[in-house]
Amino acid sequence: MARRARLSWPQEHHQASEVIIRRVDPGRGWTLEQARDLVEQGYSIDNVAERTGFPAKMLKVAVKD
């Protein structure tokens, strides 16, 4: 009579790693709030992104639908 083998894998214990906070600071003297305010005032997202150094995707949040 054949034996039945029970397959088992070792328990994997995942410990929480460090939390990494990344902040975008293009170093041009603008804050993200100021850059988004420019977009709300009517400046184009591409123009504000070029002037302030913030990525256009971050500035699109300011656009109201």
Side-chain angles (χ1 to χ4, degrees):
M1 187 176 244
R3 288 183 172 181
R4 289 188 179 183
R6 176 179 247 172
L7 299 176
S8 63
W9 287 270
Q11 293 285 343
E12 291 186 21
H13 297 285
H14 296 286
Q15 301 220 355
S17 60
E18 292 182 22
V19 175
I20 299 172
I21 298 174
R22 295 185 180 156
R23 294 190 178 148
V24 176
D25 183 13
R28 296 188 185 176
W30 293 89
T31 64
L32 182 59
E33 290 78 23
Q34 290 172 332
R36 287 180 176 169
D37 187 44
L38 290 174
V39 173
E40 289 177 358
Q41 290 178 25
Y43 291 94
S44 71
I45 292 176
D46 293 330
N47 186 17
V48 174
E50 182 181 328
R51 298 276 179 190
T52 61
F54 286 101
K57 289 185 178 182
M58 290 180 76
L59 299 173
K60 287 182 181 180
V61 176
V63 178
K64 295 180 181 178
D65 295 332

